[in-house]
Amino acid sequence: MDITVALGGGGAKGNAHSGVLRVLQREGFHIRALAGTSAGGLWGALYLTGHSPDEIDEIMGAFDPVRIYARDDGDGPALLGTSGLREMLQLKIGQMRFEDLDIPFAVTAVDIETAEAVTIQSGSIYEAVLATIAVPGVFPPHEINGRMLIDGGVMNPVPVSIARRFFPDLPVVAVVLAPPQNTWSTPSVSRLLPSLPYLSTYLAKLRITKALNIYLRSVEISSALLTDLHLELEKPDIIIRPQVPKIGLLDEVDINEIVLLGEIAARDALPDLRTAVSWRGKMKRRLFGQSYPDRMDKQIHGA
């Protein structure tokens, strides 16, 4: 049962990707290609470089919030750094390149200077992940080959078209972590600074902190709208949407709980998944094709 997968962004919500991947693997679905944005790029990179969902859960559970967001000398303009994350990526991914993978993989980013959507599917996976997770203002932009790159979710929250480009005849499974339109009245609430244990209650009350939280809330609302627009335009064959709308970008979470929400959503989608890979699904795609634009992002080579 061959499929391609597009993993969306979502910060701490990304732990749900482990649950989805675990169910797909257990139920015999073969991921022939994967595209990821932001957190989806991080989880996809760990999975395709040989780490099982159980191992990814252990990696995420071992994170020290104080260390993971620490800044190093030379970090670009951003509230937080990625020192601990870089250490983890160097340990778990090291020098692996896209060309070393058995399964085609791509991540998205945005060139902050040219406003171009960028697809990275060659070169260093480590460098590509640092680019796709660079949430503007929160984590530093990441430079690759002279281009200053930020989080791909700014323009493409769920890279359905990129996943489909690898194998156009296969169904695309989109894992979406943004809340749907009918829940916008109770959207995910960003609690960036109050949620970080190494910042005091005093700092959380500062005017600049409140302003940043308002900014992040507006980003989440815009991202939810952009996600729905992309899904309507690019029409993935299956949408798996774990019920994780209440989790902010960097909230401390119970990883096992979020993983379970991913598993539940994937199990609920199994009947539709099996239909999509059946001969009826294949015939439907051959007869009617896909009503999506062949949108070619700028492709760059990683470092």
Side-chain angles (χ1 to χ4, degrees), residues 112 139 232:
I112 191 63
F139 297 129
E232 178 64 26

Side-chain angles (χ1 to χ4, degrees), residues 10-11 13-14 29-30 35 37 44 51 75 79 92 109 136 140 200 208 235 241-243 251 255 258 264 277 283 292:
K13 301 177 187 179
F29 291 93
H30 304 293
T37 292
H51 303 282
D75 277 347
L79 178 68
K92 302 300 181 181
S200 68
I208 190 171
K235 293 180 171 53
R241 206 162 203 164
Q243 297 303 303
D251 281 357
I255 290 177
I258 307 308
I264 292 171
V277 299
M283 187 62 66
Y292 68 98

Side-chain angles (χ1 to χ4, degrees), residues 52-103:
S52 69
D54 287 346
E55 291 171 335
I56 296 174
D57 293 345
E58 291 179 7
I59 292 169
M60 297 303 170
F63 274 158
D64 174 4
V66 176
R67 181 57 188 151
I68 190 175
Y69 303 129
R71 291 179 58 85
D72 287 334
D73 293 339
D75 277 347
L79 178 68
L80 304 176
T82 54
S83 178
L85 182 60
R86 293 197 301 270
E87 289 180 3
M88 181 276 287
L89 290 173
Q90 288 171 347
L91 179 64
K92 302 300 181 181
I93 295 177
Q95 302 303 312
M96 290 192 69
R97 301 173 68 83
F98 287 86
E99 294 84 354
D100 299 327
L101 301 178
D102 295 328
I103 296 172

Side-chain angles (χ1 to χ4, degrees), residues 89-274:
L89 290 173
Q90 288 171 347
L91 179 64
K92 302 300 181 181
I93 295 177
Q95 302 303 312
M96 290 192 69
R97 301 173 68 83
F98 287 86
E99 294 84 354
D100 299 327
L101 301 178
D102 295 328
I103 296 172
F105 178 45
V107 303
T108 67
V110 173
D111 187 319
I112 191 63
E113 296 175 347
T114 66
E116 290 179 290
V118 171
T119 300
I120 309 173
Q121 60 187 78
S122 64
S124 168
I125 299 173
Y126 166 84
E127 300 288 345
V129 171
L130 291 177
T132 196
I133 65 164
V135 179
V138 179
F139 297 129
H142 192 69
E143 183 178 348
I144 297 180
N145 295 339
R147 304 191 70 158
M148 196 60 66
L149 303 177
I150 60 171
D151 187 343
V154 169
M155 295 185 73
N156 193 354
V158 186
V160 172
S161 61
I162 297 171
R164 180 174 279 135
R165 201 178 297 155
F166 285 117
F167 293 100
D169 293 334
L170 295 182
V172 179
V173 178
V175 185
V176 182
L177 304 182
Q181 292 186 38
N182 60 10
T183 65
W184 284 5
S185 60
T186 55
S188 174
V189 179
S190 295
R191 297 185 296 278
L192 173 63
L193 296 185
S195 69
L196 298 178
Y198 59 90
L199 291 173
S200 68
T201 303
Y202 171 76
L203 285 177
K205 294 179 180 179
L206 290 178
R207 182 180 302 172
I208 190 171
T209 302
K210 293 179 180 179
L212 180 61
N213 280 329
I214 291 172
Y215 163 74
L216 288 174
R217 176 70 171 267
S218 69
V219 168
E220 286 193 336
I221 294 171
S222 297
S223 178
L225 172 61
L226 187 60
T227 297
D228 280 358
L229 290 174
H230 270 273
L231 293 175
E232 178 64 26
L233 183 66
E234 299 178 350
K235 293 180 171 53
D237 299 85
I238 301 295
I239 297 176
I240 297 178
R241 206 162 203 164
Q243 297 303 303
V244 290
K246 291 294 186 181
I247 301 169
L249 177 66
L250 298 177
D251 281 357
E252 288 188 276
V253 297
D254 182 335
I255 290 177
N256 292 329
E257 178 184 353
I258 307 308
V259 170
L260 179 59
L261 292 174
E263 292 185 13
I264 292 171
R267 288 201 300 265
D268 289 345
L270 285 175
D272 291 335
L273 278 163
R274 293 191 174 104

